[in-house]
Amino acid sequence: MQALVNKIWYQGHPAKWLLMPLSWLFGLITWLRRLGFSLGIKQAKTLPVPVIVVGNITAGGSGKTPTVIYLIDLLRQHGYKPGVISRGYGVKINGVKAVNLTDKAVDVGDEPAMIVARTNVPMVVGAKRIDAAQKLLSDFDVDVIISDDGLQHYALARDIELAIVDGQRRYGNECLIPAGPLREGIWRLNTIDWVINNGGAAQNDEVAMQLAPCSLTRVDSAASSNTSSWQSEPAVAMAGIGNPQRFFDSLSALGYDIVQTHEFEDHQAFDKQVLAQLSEEHPLIMTEKDAVKCRDFAQQNWWYLPVNAKLNKSFDQAFLNRLEQVVKVKQGNLHGVR
């Protein structure tokens, strides 16, 4: 199914025309929803601390999670105490739930589990991001909230918006879901503070971002491997992310001898026996997001490749300057200053 969707969205498959009526309906529904907020029929909830939304206008992965981790580190380096909220895609949560280091991906979502495992940041997941944010403020000492995804969740007022674009696939056929990958039209980018280009040549006012690989790490432990020791050893690669081919291409570019690749659906739960069969003859290499779903049953020859987002210093400074302005406005409002 995912292969057909990619053909329609990114390879010019004519089946998109069959789906266009549904895309027009989707566009009408989302337009009416935005209109409700713009006319004041629906009210967005404003929080007392800055809210930063890291999202995209396309369905599927584009690099949001590494960007969130990058911002957590950047904020901490400059004295802020960030917290993160997320929907917890693919899991059913009654109300909201704080994410702990011991939580499984099946209970909180793979991306929240990965973010907390990497950063130990205060994080709350829930279907209603406003409730998650209020839980974060009441239970943790945070002064900035990062929303992992949620660009289209207009019920939560935001102060800074970042949209991540896959620098290779970009916006595909530029049609709305389901005929194309767009959640909102290209026009939406005109209202975004920064468009982050992940892995491609930055266009117009986009900010270039690269994902820098780290050393391979065993899924069942924190043991890492010297990359050079892997260069001549055959391995199998798997990925259950939005763009698996990007991961496979990265491994090949790093010099790994990948003899087989296996694509899974994004956010898919994994079967232990299926993965064990993939790794019978050769080590298995996966993404960090996939690894958090395999920690409880990982074998010793399963490895994952962590990546770190890299952005330029000019973005860092501009982002921090903007955040400082937002903080001053928030503090002024709290003290009745207009």
Side-chain angles (χ1 to χ4, degrees):
M1 184 62 176
Q2 187 63 44
L4 176 58
V5 169
N6 286 334
K7 288 181 180 179
I8 296 172
W9 289 2
Y10 299 105
Q11 299 173 23
H13 195 287
K16 78 171 186 179
W17 297 110
L18 297 175
L19 299 172
M20 285 302 294
L22 294 176
S23 293
W24 296 332
L25 177 60
F26 177 81
L28 175 62
I29 293 171
T30 55
W31 177 77
L32 289 172
R33 186 168 178 272
R34 289 191 299 269
L35 183 64
F37 283 101
S38 64
L39 294 178
I41 299 172
K42 297 181 178 181
Q43 296 291 330
K45 177 68 175 181
T46 300
L47 298 179
V49 301
V51 175
I52 303 162
V53 175
V54 180
N56 55 16
I57 65 169
T58 57
S62 57
K64 294 186 298 293
T65 303
T67 307
V68 169
I69 293 172
Y70 180 91
L71 293 178
I72 292 169
D73 292 339
L74 178 65
L75 290 170
R76 284 173 167 172
Q77 291 168 13
H78 290 83
Y80 291 97
K81 294 173 288 187
V84 180
I85 59 174
S86 174
R87 175 184 170 189
Y89 185 89
V91 299
K92 293 183 178 180
I93 297 172
N94 293 324
V96 297
K97 174 177 172 54
V99 183
N100 300 309
L101 284 170
T102 56
D103 284 330
K104 298 179 180 180
V106 68
D107 296 321
V108 297
D110 46 17
E111 288 155 349
M114 172 183 163
I115 291 170
V116 171
R118 177 76 83 92
T119 67
N120 199 20
V121 70
M123 186 166 187
V124 177
V125 296
K128 295 183 178 180
R129 286 184 175 84
I130 294 174
D131 293 346
Q134 291 175 332
K135 171 78 170 177
L136 194 61
L137 291 174
S138 65
D139 290 9
F140 300 93
D141 182 19
V142 302
D143 54 17
V144 179
I145 292 177
I146 302 173
S147 177
D148 179 21
D149 211 357
L151 205 59
Q152 291 76 33
H153 189 78
Y154 291 104
L156 176 63
R158 67 287 310 270
D159 302 288
I160 299 175
E161 291 183 326
L162 280 70
I164 318 302
V165 55
D166 185 321
Q168 298 174 354
R169 302 194 300 182
R170 296 193 64 80
Y171 307 108
N173 61 18
E174 299 190 0
C175 295
L176 293 174
I177 295 170
L182 296 186
R183 298 173 175 179
E184 294 182 285
I186 299 293
W187 61 267
R188 180 69 166 86
L189 299 177
N190 297 325
T191 67
I192 299 292
D193 295 283
W194 285 280
V195 178
I196 309 296
N197 185 312
N198 176 19
Q203 301 182 16
N204 301 322
D205 296 327
E206 294 175 351
V207 177
M209 179 178 80
Q210 299 294 329
L211 298 181
C214 305
S215 298
L216 282 177
T217 303
R218 260 180 45 189
V219 177
D220 66 345
S221 73
S224 60
S225 171
N226 185 336
T227 300
S228 61
S229 67
W230 278 79
Q231 301 308 307
S232 59
E233 184 173 350
V236 175
M238 56 157 281
I241 57 176
N243 185 3
Q245 192 58 48
R246 175 196 286 274
F247 177 63
F248 302 148
D249 291 343
S250 297
L251 291 176
S252 297
L254 291 169
Y256 294 105
D257 181 14
I258 305 301
V259 295
Q260 291 181 20
T261 61
H262 298 271
E263 296 186 12
F264 295 89
E265 298 290 333
D266 195 9
H267 302 289
Q268 177 178 334
F270 296 123
D271 183 279
K272 175 181 178 180
Q273 299 304 321
V274 171
L275 299 190
Q277 290 176 358
L278 299 183
S279 58
E280 284 180 345
E281 298 183 12
H282 305 292
L284 180 64
I285 304 178
M286 64 186 70
T287 70
E288 186 172 8
K289 191 172 86 166
D290 294 325
V292 300
K293 295 183 285 188
C294 303
R295 290 181 298 195
D296 293 338
F297 54 83
Q299 299 185 359
Q300 292 186 0
N301 65 338
W302 295 6
W303 300 78
Y304 70 90
L305 184 72
V307 296
N308 290 325
K310 300 293 183 183
L311 289 93
N312 58 54
K313 295 298 182 182
S314 59
F315 164 78
D316 291 355
Q317 193 58 58
F319 174 82
L320 292 168
N321 289 343
R322 174 65 190 281
L323 180 59
E324 184 178 0
Q325 295 172 358
V326 172
V327 170
K328 289 180 179 179
V329 171
K330 294 277 186 181
Q331 292 176 341
N333 290 340
L334 286 175
H335 292 87
V337 178
R338 296 291 186 269

